[in-house]
Every structure is written in C-alpha cells, then in structure tokens.
Amino acid sequence: NAGVTQTPKFQVLKTGQSMTLQCAQDMNHNSMYWYRQDPGMGLRLIYYSASEGTTDKGEVPNGYNVSRLNKREFSLRLESAAPSQTSVYFCASSETGLTNEKLFFGSGTQLSVL
Amino acid sequence: AQKVTQAQTEISVVEKEDVTLDCVYETRDTTYYLFWYKQPPSGELVFLIRRNSFDEQNEISGRYSWNFQKSTSSFNFTITASQVVDSAVYFCALSGQGVTGANNLFFGTGTRLTVIP
C-alpha cells in the first residue's frame, strides 16, 4: 500500500536554483494537491488539480508551477527558489475533489533555500 | 473567509490522562465539513474524522471522541486515557472555497501533543 509517494524527502537549494518535487498516487484518485506547511501557519494550498489535464491556483501559488503529467503524477516546480520558499511540502490526493472528501497525504519534502 | 483557530500550541500530559484539543472555526457557509488530522513524528498527515455541518451528534471511536457545537463554532477533540503513541501534531480543518474559487481545506495551526510515559 504505497498511497501517495513524494520525492525527494529532503532538499537544500541555493537562492535562484530550480527544482521539481515529484508526487505519485496509486489509488486511482482524480484530484491531487500541493500544500506547504510553515511554523505557526498550518498547511496552505499552493496548487491543485481537480482531474487529469486541469490545474488551478490555491492560496499561495506565486513562485510555483505545476504539471499534472497523468492521473497518477502531479509535480511542483520552483523555477527560481527563494528563501521564503523554505518549507515542508506535502502532496495529497482525494477521490473526486469534493469538499467533503478526506485527503491522503504523502510523507512530505523538507526544502531549505539558502 | 474560512478560518480555523487552534489556540493551544503545545500540550503535555502524563500517560493515561485525558486531554481535549480545542478547535474554533469561522465560516459564512451553511454547508461545510470539519476534519481532524494527525501528524505523527513520521510527518505524514493521517485523517481521523469528518463531520458535516448538519450533523451535530458527538462521535466516539475507541479512546477518541469529538464534540461538535454549531452554537459556539467549535469542534473539539478528546483523547481518553492518553498513550505515548498519541504524541503528534493534531490539525483541525474546515472545507470551503478559497479566494481563487478552488475547493480547499483550511487548516488550523495545529496543536502539538506530547504524552509523557
């Protein structure tokens, strides 16, 4: 039972570098999400994908891009990393994207931007 | 706008004590859903419970119970006879639409529970 798998688990970047966080789910879910978790701020939605082929901005999309490569995979890209993007990033998925659904989360990626 | 407040940042209890985690929410929606998630030291958030706004019945699941009161906009979580394995960060969350129209879960800032053996 893999569920939601994120890679890498840890990453250190220098300001201005780029990187892509990978996420895959094996539950045949339609909707996928990227959240960031910052101390004292809970989790905030960066982008989400209601279904394959669609993506939409969440609360804090600036500085990020996403790609829903197929039904299983949803990647998050930082084109030019900034120290403000130091955070823990979580990918999640849900069956259909309705507001009453529970989310299934990956184990997170701890990103530090120096 | 949706808002969730978890005023307790950190709580420490001795094993076997009962503990209540508070959650207060704000919304203008008439239909909404409330959730609790657990984040153990491994980091992955795990779903615990979901309630809809029309169902104010309290729920009990083993040592866990939840008290939903619309009159006070609260959805509190009680752990009875706490165990070391209950040590985690607990998040309360509220469904709704964000400013961009996206379906979203609005999370509180979390309560870190430490159960001391």
Side-chain angles (χ1 to χ4, degrees), chain A residues 30-56:
Chain A
N30 285 310
S31 299
M32 298 185 73
Y33 312 79
W34 277 104
Y35 283 87
R36 60 178 288 174
Q37 181 182 17
D38 301 294
M41 300 191 74
L43 280 78
R44 293 178 294 168
L45 182 66
I46 304 171
Y47 269 93
Y48 84 111
S49 172
S51 60
E52 185 179 353
T54 67
T55 60
D56 286 284

mmCIF file of all heavy atoms in Angstrom, chain A residues 30-56:
data_model
loop_
_atom_site.group_PDB
_atom_site.id
_atom_site.type_symbol
_atom_site.label_atom_id
_atom_site.label_comp_id
_atom_site.label_asym_id
_atom_site.label_seq_id
_atom_site.Cartn_x
_atom_site.Cartn_y
_atom_site.Cartn_z
ATOM 1 N N ASN A 30 -8.803 11.098 -8.619
ATOM 2 C CA ASN A 30 -8.881 12.127 -9.652
ATOM 3 C C ASN A 30 -8.174 13.416 -9.265
ATOM 4 O O ASN A 30 -7.595 14.088 -10.103
ATOM 5 C CB ASN A 30 -10.347 12.444 -9.973
ATOM 6 C CG ASN A 30 -10.983 11.353 -10.796
ATOM 7 O OD1 ASN A 30 -10.445 10.924 -11.811
ATOM 8 N ND2 ASN A 30 -12.134 10.882 -10.353
ATOM 9 N N SER A 31 -8.257 13.786 -7.989
ATOM 10 C CA SER A 31 -7.764 15.099 -7.561
ATOM 11 C C SER A 31 -6.460 14.980 -6.791
ATOM 12 O O SER A 31 -6.277 14.068 -5.979
ATOM 13 C CB SER A 31 -8.819 15.781 -6.683
ATOM 14 O OG SER A 31 -10.008 15.977 -7.420
ATOM 15 N N MET A 32 -5.590 15.940 -7.044
ATOM 16 C CA MET A 32 -4.305 15.986 -6.344
ATOM 17 C C MET A 32 -3.997 17.412 -5.942
ATOM 18 O O MET A 32 -4.474 18.368 -6.573
ATOM 19 C CB MET A 32 -3.199 15.398 -7.237
ATOM 20 C CG MET A 32 -3.429 13.933 -7.588
ATOM 21 S SD MET A 32 -2.088 13.177 -8.504
ATOM 22 C CE MET A 32 -0.817 13.009 -7.227
ATOM 23 N N TYR A 33 -3.189 17.551 -4.893
ATOM 24 C CA TYR A 33 -2.955 18.847 -4.263
ATOM 25 C C TYR A 33 -1.490 18.987 -3.851
ATOM 26 O O TYR A 33 -0.834 17.995 -3.528
ATOM 27 C CB TYR A 33 -3.803 18.982 -2.988
ATOM 28 C CG TYR A 33 -5.251 18.608 -3.140
ATOM 29 C CD1 TYR A 33 -5.647 17.270 -3.137
ATOM 30 C CD2 TYR A 33 -6.227 19.582 -3.260
ATOM 31 C CE1 TYR A 33 -6.983 16.921 -3.274
ATOM 32 C CE2 TYR A 33 -7.570 19.241 -3.390
ATOM 33 C CZ TYR A 33 -7.928 17.911 -3.397
ATOM 34 O OH TYR A 33 -9.249 17.562 -3.528
ATOM 35 N N TRP A 34 -1.048 20.245 -3.811
ATOM 36 C CA TRP A 34 0.227 20.570 -3.187
ATOM 37 C C TRP A 34 -0.026 21.600 -2.087
ATOM 38 O O TRP A 34 -0.626 22.644 -2.333
ATOM 39 C CB TRP A 34 1.231 21.140 -4.185
ATOM 40 C CG TRP A 34 1.957 20.094 -4.959
ATOM 41 C CD1 TRP A 34 1.753 19.710 -6.251
ATOM 42 C CD2 TRP A 34 3.027 19.282 -4.473
ATOM 43 N NE1 TRP A 34 2.623 18.721 -6.603
ATOM 44 C CE2 TRP A 34 3.420 18.419 -5.529
ATOM 45 C CE3 TRP A 34 3.690 19.181 -3.249
ATOM 46 C CZ2 TRP A 34 4.454 17.489 -5.399
ATOM 47 C CZ3 TRP A 34 4.711 18.263 -3.125
ATOM 48 C CH2 TRP A 34 5.084 17.421 -4.185
ATOM 49 N N TYR A 35 0.450 21.269 -0.888
ATOM 50 C CA TYR A 35 0.369 22.164 0.252
ATOM 51 C C TYR A 35 1.785 22.474 0.747
ATOM 52 O O TYR A 35 2.707 21.683 0.580
ATOM 53 C CB TYR A 35 -0.376 21.504 1.423
ATOM 54 C CG TYR A 35 -1.869 21.451 1.295
ATOM 55 C CD1 TYR A 35 -2.497 20.395 0.642
ATOM 56 C CD2 TYR A 35 -2.667 22.455 1.853
ATOM 57 C CE1 TYR A 35 -3.884 20.346 0.535
ATOM 58 C CE2 TYR A 35 -4.044 22.406 1.755
ATOM 59 C CZ TYR A 35 -4.639 21.348 1.098
ATOM 60 O OH TYR A 35 -6.009 21.303 1.004
ATOM 61 N N ARG A 36 1.911 23.616 1.412
ATOM 62 C CA ARG A 36 3.133 23.892 2.147
ATOM 63 C C ARG A 36 2.797 24.101 3.618
ATOM 64 O O ARG A 36 1.710 24.619 3.945
ATOM 65 C CB ARG A 36 3.894 25.093 1.592
ATOM 66 C CG ARG A 36 3.174 26.407 1.587
ATOM 67 C CD ARG A 36 4.056 27.530 1.054
ATOM 68 N NE ARG A 36 5.118 27.897 2.001
ATOM 69 C CZ ARG A 36 6.090 28.762 1.723
ATOM 70 N NH1 ARG A 36 6.165 29.335 0.524
ATOM 71 N NH2 ARG A 36 7.002 29.045 2.641
ATOM 72 N N GLN A 37 3.679 23.641 4.474
ATOM 73 C CA GLN A 37 3.474 23.751 5.916
ATOM 74 C C GLN A 37 4.584 24.593 6.512
ATOM 75 O O GLN A 37 5.764 24.243 6.415
ATOM 76 C CB GLN A 37 3.476 22.361 6.583
ATOM 77 C CG GLN A 37 3.243 22.420 8.080
ATOM 78 C CD GLN A 37 3.281 21.049 8.739
ATOM 79 O OE1 GLN A 37 3.780 20.077 8.166
ATOM 80 N NE2 GLN A 37 2.743 20.948 9.940
ATOM 81 N N ASP A 38 4.198 25.691 7.127
ATOM 82 C CA ASP A 38 5.148 26.596 7.758
ATOM 83 C C ASP A 38 4.833 26.713 9.238
ATOM 84 O O ASP A 38 3.662 26.655 9.632
ATOM 85 C CB ASP A 38 5.090 27.968 7.093
ATOM 86 C CG ASP A 38 5.414 27.899 5.619
ATOM 87 O OD1 ASP A 38 6.571 27.569 5.303
ATOM 88 O OD2 ASP A 38 4.521 28.148 4.790
ATOM 89 N N PRO A 39 5.853 26.903 10.053
ATOM 90 C CA PRO A 39 5.618 27.015 11.502
ATOM 91 C C PRO A 39 4.607 28.103 11.828
ATOM 92 O O PRO A 39 4.701 29.222 11.317
ATOM 93 C CB PRO A 39 7.013 27.369 12.039
ATOM 94 C CG PRO A 39 7.961 26.836 11.021
ATOM 95 C CD PRO A 39 7.265 27.011 9.704
ATOM 96 N N GLY A 40 3.643 27.756 12.664
ATOM 97 C CA GLY A 40 2.656 28.738 13.096
ATOM 98 C C GLY A 40 1.623 29.110 12.054
ATOM 99 O O GLY A 40 0.818 30.013 12.280
ATOM 100 N N MET A 41 1.619 28.400 10.901
ATOM 101 C CA MET A 41 0.678 28.794 9.845
ATOM 102 C C MET A 41 -0.143 27.624 9.317
ATOM 103 O O MET A 41 -0.902 27.790 8.373
ATOM 104 C CB MET A 41 1.412 29.466 8.686
ATOM 105 C CG MET A 41 2.151 30.710 9.094
ATOM 106 S SD MET A 41 2.741 31.651 7.700
ATOM 107 C CE MET A 41 1.211 32.359 7.097
ATOM 108 N N GLY A 42 0.006 26.463 9.868
ATOM 109 C CA GLY A 42 -0.753 25.326 9.357
ATOM 110 C C GLY A 42 -0.338 24.985 7.940
ATOM 111 O O GLY A 42 0.758 25.305 7.486
ATOM 112 N N LEU A 43 -1.225 24.345 7.213
ATOM 113 C CA LEU A 43 -0.976 23.979 5.820
ATOM 114 C C LEU A 43 -1.743 24.931 4.916
ATOM 115 O O LEU A 43 -2.909 25.245 5.184
ATOM 116 C CB LEU A 43 -1.438 22.543 5.537
ATOM 117 C CG LEU A 43 -0.500 21.427 5.964
ATOM 118 C CD1 LEU A 43 -0.606 21.187 7.461
ATOM 119 C CD2 LEU A 43 -0.818 20.150 5.199
ATOM 120 N N ARG A 44 -1.107 25.339 3.831
ATOM 121 C CA ARG A 44 -1.751 26.230 2.866
ATOM 122 C C ARG A 44 -1.640 25.634 1.482
ATOM 123 O O ARG A 44 -0.596 25.122 1.087
ATOM 124 C CB ARG A 44 -1.105 27.621 2.909
ATOM 125 C CG ARG A 44 -1.342 28.382 4.203
ATOM 126 C CD ARG A 44 -0.638 29.732 4.194
ATOM 127 N NE ARG A 44 0.811 29.587 4.180
ATOM 128 C CZ ARG A 44 1.662 30.581 3.934
ATOM 129 N NH1 ARG A 44 1.201 31.792 3.627
ATOM 130 N NH2 ARG A 44 2.967 30.365 3.973
ATOM 131 N N LEU A 45 -2.739 25.762 0.733
ATOM 132 C CA LEU A 45 -2.816 25.158 -0.587
ATOM 133 C C LEU A 45 -2.062 25.994 -1.604
ATOM 134 O O LEU A 45 -2.298 27.196 -1.738
ATOM 135 C CB LEU A 45 -4.293 25.028 -1.010
ATOM 136 C CG LEU A 45 -4.557 24.369 -2.345
ATOM 137 C CD1 LEU A 45 -4.145 22.902 -2.300
ATOM 138 C CD2 LEU A 45 -6.035 24.496 -2.699
ATOM 139 N N ILE A 46 -1.165 25.345 -2.352
ATOM 140 C CA ILE A 46 -0.385 26.037 -3.375
ATOM 141 C C ILE A 46 -1.095 25.917 -4.723
ATOM 142 O O ILE A 46 -1.421 26.911 -5.369
ATOM 143 C CB ILE A 46 1.032 25.434 -3.485
ATOM 144 C CG1 ILE A 46 1.738 25.456 -2.128
ATOM 145 C CG2 ILE A 46 1.855 26.211 -4.518
ATOM 146 C CD1 ILE A 46 3.050 24.683 -2.120
ATOM 147 N N TYR A 47 -1.305 24.705 -5.167
ATOM 148 C CA TYR A 47 -1.999 24.395 -6.409
ATOM 149 C C TYR A 47 -2.775 23.097 -6.206
ATOM 150 O O TYR A 47 -2.441 22.288 -5.353
ATOM 151 C CB TYR A 47 -1.001 24.166 -7.556
ATOM 152 C CG TYR A 47 -0.633 25.387 -8.359
ATOM 153 C CD1 TYR A 47 0.484 26.136 -8.020
ATOM 154 C CD2 TYR A 47 -1.388 25.773 -9.459
ATOM 155 C CE1 TYR A 47 0.844 27.265 -8.757
ATOM 156 C CE2 TYR A 47 -1.034 26.898 -10.207
ATOM 157 C CZ TYR A 47 0.083 27.630 -9.853
ATOM 158 O OH TYR A 47 0.440 28.728 -10.593
ATOM 159 N N TYR A 48 -3.769 22.934 -7.036
ATOM 160 C CA TYR A 48 -4.435 21.651 -7.042
ATOM 161 C C TYR A 48 -4.844 21.300 -8.468
ATOM 162 O O TYR A 48 -4.859 22.153 -9.354
ATOM 163 C CB TYR A 48 -5.628 21.640 -6.083
ATOM 164 C CG TYR A 48 -6.910 22.197 -6.637
ATOM 165 C CD1 TYR A 48 -7.997 21.371 -6.897
ATOM 166 C CD2 TYR A 48 -7.048 23.552 -6.874
ATOM 167 C CE1 TYR A 48 -9.173 21.878 -7.382
ATOM 168 C CE2 TYR A 48 -8.227 24.068 -7.375
ATOM 169 C CZ TYR A 48 -9.296 23.228 -7.622
ATOM 170 O OH TYR A 48 -10.463 23.727 -8.114
ATOM 171 N N SER A 49 -5.147 20.022 -8.631
ATOM 172 C CA SER A 49 -5.587 19.502 -9.916
ATOM 173 C C SER A 49 -6.844 18.683 -9.676
ATOM 174 O O SER A 49 -6.784 17.619 -9.059
ATOM 175 C CB SER A 49 -4.493 18.627 -10.528
ATOM 176 O OG SER A 49 -4.974 17.969 -11.681
ATOM 177 N N ALA A 50 -7.963 19.195 -10.141
ATOM 178 C CA ALA A 50 -9.236 18.507 -9.908
ATOM 179 C C ALA A 50 -9.302 17.191 -10.675
ATOM 180 O O ALA A 50 -9.922 16.228 -10.221
ATOM 181 C CB ALA A 50 -10.399 19.408 -10.290
ATOM 182 N N SER A 51 -8.681 17.174 -11.837
ATOM 183 C CA SER A 51 -8.666 15.951 -12.644
ATOM 184 C C SER A 51 -7.504 16.034 -13.622
ATOM 185 O O SER A 51 -6.896 17.103 -13.793
ATOM 186 C CB SER A 51 -9.983 15.782 -13.401
ATOM 187 O OG SER A 51 -10.186 16.879 -14.265
ATOM 188 N N GLU A 52 -7.235 14.933 -14.249
ATOM 189 C CA GLU A 52 -6.131 14.881 -15.206
ATOM 190 C C GLU A 52 -6.342 15.955 -16.282
ATOM 191 O O GLU A 52 -7.433 16.107 -16.819
ATOM 192 C CB GLU A 52 -6.093 13.498 -15.854
ATOM 193 C CG GLU A 52 -4.934 13.271 -16.768
ATOM 194 C CD GLU A 52 -4.945 11.859 -17.347
ATOM 195 O OE1 GLU A 52 -5.791 11.041 -16.918
ATOM 196 O OE2 GLU A 52 -4.106 11.579 -18.216
ATOM 197 N N GLY A 53 -5.288 16.726 -16.526
ATOM 198 C CA GLY A 53 -5.374 17.759 -17.556
ATOM 199 C C GLY A 53 -5.773 19.123 -17.061
ATOM 200 O O GLY A 53 -5.774 20.088 -17.842
ATOM 201 N N THR A 54 -6.125 19.243 -15.781
ATOM 202 C CA THR A 54 -6.519 20.550 -15.240
ATOM 203 C C THR A 54 -5.682 20.879 -14.015
ATOM 204 O O THR A 54 -5.348 20.002 -13.212
ATOM 205 C CB THR A 54 -7.993 20.578 -14.826
ATOM 206 O OG1 THR A 54 -8.191 19.717 -13.706
ATOM 207 C CG2 THR A 54 -8.889 20.133 -15.961
ATOM 208 N N THR A 55 -5.351 22.164 -13.874
ATOM 209 C CA THR A 55 -4.679 22.637 -12.664
ATOM 210 C C THR A 55 -5.233 24.008 -12.309
ATOM 211 O O THR A 55 -5.649 24.777 -13.208
ATOM 212 C CB THR A 55 -3.150 22.742 -12.848
ATOM 213 O OG1 THR A 55 -2.855 23.659 -13.897
ATOM 214 C CG2 THR A 55 -2.530 21.387 -13.167
ATOM 215 N N ASP A 56 -5.255 24.315 -11.025
ATOM 216 C CA ASP A 56 -5.772 25.603 -10.569
ATOM 217 C C ASP A 56 -4.941 26.103 -9.399
ATOM 218 O O ASP A 56 -4.382 25.316 -8.628
ATOM 219 C CB ASP A 56 -7.235 25.478 -10.128
ATOM 220 C CG ASP A 56 -8.168 25.339 -11.292
ATOM 221 O OD1 ASP A 56 -8.423 26.352 -11.956
ATOM 222 O OD2 ASP A 56 -8.622 24.205 -11.532
#
